[in-house]
Amino acid sequence: MKTIKYIFATALIALAASSCTDLDVDVKSKLIDYPNSEIALEGKMADAYYAFRKQLGNNYNRYQTFSSDEASGLSFDGDYYDGAENVNPTLHTFQANNTPGNWWSDLAGGITKCNKLINELSADSSALSKRYIANLRTVRAFYHFILMDSYGDVPILNKIYDDGEAIERQPRKTVAEFIEKELLESLPNLSTASDASTYGKPNKWMAEALLVKLYMNWGVYTCGNVADYDPTTTTNTKLNDAVKYCDDIIKSGLFNLSDNYRKKFLYNNGYQIKDFIYAMPYDCVSAQGMLYGRYRTFRKIDLGKPTGYYSGKMKNSCAGICAMNPEFADLFTLKGDERNKCVLGGKVFMHDAITGDETSTPYIYNGSQLEFTKTLTLKAGGEAQLNAGATPDGWRQGYRSIKFYPNPTEYSEYSRNQSNDVPIFRYADILLEKAEAILRGATATNGDTPQSLFNQIRAYVNAPLLDHTPSLKELLDERGREFFDENWRRNDMIRFGTFESEYGFHRHDFPGANFDKSHRIFPVPQAVMDENTNWKQNAGY
């Protein structure tokens, strides 16, 4: 059960890095005890902490998913084509004017809120203010990380800018170094707790997990031209640092793999999940924006009647455009692997509305049991729009993920909004990142080996254990099984050098598919370019 209450401010989100969003009420006037009242501070902090919520729950997830080998974004005789906003990431033909590609605005707005609060708190030297400043610097570093990972060279926004003041983008390497410095300087003042009071908020472990993620991709972020990165020749000087912080998180004893894989992603997940180091909290009523199911369900429904495997009575239609690529679906074939239950393929059965467990009752659509196909087949002449056709055969293309299984009643009542929290950093990731770092040349510590760390993951999901040192390909495949739908696959593929591989419709024989290595980063959104006319668009766009 979720027991956390969320407090939301009403400040508008800045459109671009140059925006300076005014908070509605001066923070010092909220309560007479400011800044010594945690209630007052928490209320103001919430708006800064959760600036990424809406985008993470929808647009960001679509772009990360479709640009990786996880899934393709289909359309159905024009329905959900939407100006190629799902086709473009699928084919790596990203466009600056595609709305889903613009999470820059929300993050820039979040950074602006962090900066305002840092300025206001800096006037007080209490331990409480120092802790909250460290929290804000950590969240600000996280937002810079997402911007840098997505768009390459971005501004370092560590102050309030005057109206009309020119803002310059900084080299990606410089931004990576800024993020590292911010996190290292913040660590001593961050909370070491990991419980309901810190859930969804920055703490020491969130900062260290972000450092590990930064260090694992250090070669990508500091190589200069993004197209020049080569995993076989580019040196990563931070692998031992990655291991150091992996060890600190492991030794804390606060995290483990005791939770059942499938159940920890359900709608009632939360601070009690011991695998979650840092997660984005969602609630279908008070913290909306989580829409993963909307894109992954079977789209053809009868409004007001039970809806497929979700078992609820829907009031709104579903997209159903997220079709798992055949190559990715093939990962979910390990004997006994609990993660296989998060993927629907072949004949479909109803699922229990409360537990999400598959039942023995077939899901009947149009007089017969629905069957999802592994192969993706487009309608004749449908290549430009990835048009599968507006027919039962078109709608059932591709296996489907039910990893973030919603509460069917909530899903129906609240316009497909889900209460499933989305993990950003997990303990399982720390184990596999340490395994990868050692495999890539870091010094092994505490008796751990890539094989022993890898097998901790296999063991808790009841998958076959490895009897050898995993290869890098085996590590990448395991990361696919473990972290699909969690927005890290594109990041992983770039680091492993497989982003330009062939998968789904991203094939050399498919019309329009793009393999330009400069497309490892997205174009700066057009709205942001229009606000900053002194900038040049990313190379390759």
Side-chain angles (χ1 to χ4, degrees), residues 104-115:
W104 186 306
S105 302
D106 292 55
L107 294 174
I111 291 170
T112 296
K113 292 163 189 173
C114 289
N115 287 337

Side-chain angles (χ1 to χ4, degrees), residues 230-257:
D230 185 332
T232 64
T233 59
T234 302
T235 301
N236 185 342
T237 61
K238 296 288 188 177
L239 292 175
N240 283 327
D241 295 292
V243 169
K244 171 186 173 182
Y245 289 106
C246 285
D247 283 344
D248 203 36
I249 292 170
I250 293 168
K251 289 177 183 178
S252 74
L254 294 168
F255 310 99
N256 59 57
L257 300 176

Side-chain angles (χ1 to χ4, degrees), residues 136-154:
L136 290 163
R137 291 179 70 184
T138 300
V139 170
R140 186 175 68 182
F142 172 65
Y143 293 160
H144 277 86
F145 174 85
I146 297 297
L147 287 171
M148 175 201 66
D149 180 77
S150 302
Y151 304 110
D153 297 352
V154 298

Side-chain angles (χ1 to χ4, degrees), residues 187-201:
L187 277 176
N189 292 309
L190 292 170
S191 172
T192 59
S194 180
D195 52 30
S197 69
T198 63
Y199 186 71
K201 304 171 186 175

Side-chain angles (χ1 to χ4, degrees), residues 388-449:
T391 66
D393 282 344
W395 297 321
R396 66 189 183 97
Q397 297 294 317
Y399 285 8
R400 304 300 166 95
S401 166
I402 55 168
K403 180 172 178 175
F404 289 92
Y405 193 88
N407 179 305
T409 300
E410 294 179 346
Y411 187 71
S412 172
E413 289 296 318
Y414 297 99
S415 191
R416 300 154 298 196
N417 276 279
Q418 300 177 228
S419 295
N420 312 63
D421 296 349
V422 176
I424 296 171
F425 301 127
R426 292 207 278 127
Y427 181 70
D429 202 354
I430 294 300
L431 296 179
L432 285 182
E433 284 170 323
K434 182 177 180 181
E436 181 186 339
I438 296 172
L439 197 61
R440 291 187 185 276
T443 302
T445 60
N446 303 325
D448 290 330
T449 66

Side-chain angles (χ1 to χ4, degrees), residues 3 37 129 239 255 316 357 362 488:
T3 58
S37 167
S129 288
L239 292 175
F255 310 99
N316 302 98
D357 293 329
W488 288 118

Side-chain angles (χ1 to χ4, degrees), residues 97-126:
N97 60 356
N98 278 150
T99 300
N102 184 9
W103 46 89
W104 186 306
S105 302
D106 292 55
L107 294 174
I111 291 170
T112 296
K113 292 163 189 173
C114 289
N115 287 337
K116 283 180 174 288
L117 287 166
I118 289 171
N119 283 355
E120 291 166 350
L121 287 163
S122 295
D124 182 80
S125 59
S126 69

Side-chain angles (χ1 to χ4, degrees), residues 214-235:
L214 180 71
Y215 290 151
M216 291 304 299
N217 292 278
W218 196 256
V220 178
Y221 299 145
T222 62
C223 69
N225 187 331
V226 65
D228 292 338
Y229 171 75
D230 185 332
T232 64
T233 59
T234 302
T235 301

